[in-house]
Amino acid sequence: MSSILKVDEIQNTGGTTGLTIDSSGFILPKAVAFQMHPTSSQTLTNGAEGQIAFQASNIDTNSIVDLSNNRVVITAATAGLYWLSFTFRLSNSAPARIVNYVKVNGTQKLVGEENSNTSGTTGSQSNTVAGLVSLSSGDILTYHIFHNHGADRVNETGVTNTRAEGYRIGSV
């Protein structure tokens, strides 16, 4: 005979609910840890990787966003498995190659690349990279971009165009 585990019986060893489950029964991420975006354009050098500057944070549930240094710093309380996403949009540009990088402690952890084989100035091009990354206390996240439009270009601002975000989905 099998037994059925009730939602209110799912607990961690500390006796608190180990999962967040909404009223429809969907399991939710542990927390939307952060979301940040630029509010002013940044000039990005053609053919060179550059770190993205962020000026605003819509979400920072545990004070891990460090806007003055354009990074996220993981603490002991926020360490765990994260779904990270980084979307970048070049203004009025369609370079032959655009690459987004998410780095942890200066090492590439996520890379997303798009090749169009042409360089134009009709429309804007977005690129997104996302994936699971295990983060430990003291880890530093930074966000970088490379393009080869043929000339220096600027990014589009605002959370709908260029943003970095992280969802903590569990502890490790």
Side-chain angles (χ1 to χ4, degrees):
M1 180 178 198
S2 65
S3 62
I4 297 174
L5 183 63
K6 296 179 183 176
V7 169
D8 60 355
E9 294 172 344
I10 299 173
Q11 296 184 341
N12 68 17
T13 56
T16 59
T17 302
L19 299 172
T20 301
I21 302 175
D22 72 9
S23 60
S24 300
F26 290 101
I27 298 173
L28 303 175
K30 290 285 239 178
V32 177
F34 65 90
Q35 182 185 67
M36 56 191 185
H37 67 277
T39 57
S40 60
S41 295
Q42 175 181 351
T43 299
L44 300 153
T45 304
N46 177 62
E49 181 183 314
Q51 185 175 343
I52 301 308
F54 298 96
Q55 293 86 29
S57 178
N58 295 350
I59 302 166
D60 187 9
T61 58
N62 292 290
S63 300
I64 60 176
V65 172
D66 177 2
L67 291 174
S68 61
N69 293 299
N70 301 306
R71 64 187 191 173
V72 173
V73 181
I74 303 301
T75 65
T78 61
L81 184 63
Y82 278 74
W83 177 260
L84 299 175
S85 176
F86 172 41
T87 298
F88 185 83
R89 187 169 177 90
L90 276 177
S91 182
N92 199 30
S93 302
R97 182 173 182 229
I98 184 170
V99 187
N100 291 22
Y101 305 95
V102 177
K103 294 186 178 186
V104 178
N105 302 325
T107 301
Q108 293 176 11
K109 290 295 181 179
L110 298 173
V111 178
E113 180 173 357
E114 183 167 327
N115 293 289
S116 66
N117 296 319
T118 62
S119 285
T121 56
T122 55
S124 300
Q125 184 174 353
S126 294
N127 194 41
T128 299
V129 61
L132 289 170
V133 177
S134 182
L135 299 172
S136 301
S137 180
D139 281 347
I140 296 172
L141 301 170
T142 55
Y143 299 85
H144 304 257
I145 190 80
F146 170 89
H147 78 88
N148 66 345
H149 181 273
D152 294 354
R153 306 306 291 174
V154 298
N155 64 299
E156 290 190 6
T157 62
V159 72
T160 58
N161 295 309
T162 299
R163 69 186 169 281
E165 50 201 0
Y167 302 83
R168 184 170 178 252
I169 59 173
S171 56
V172 288

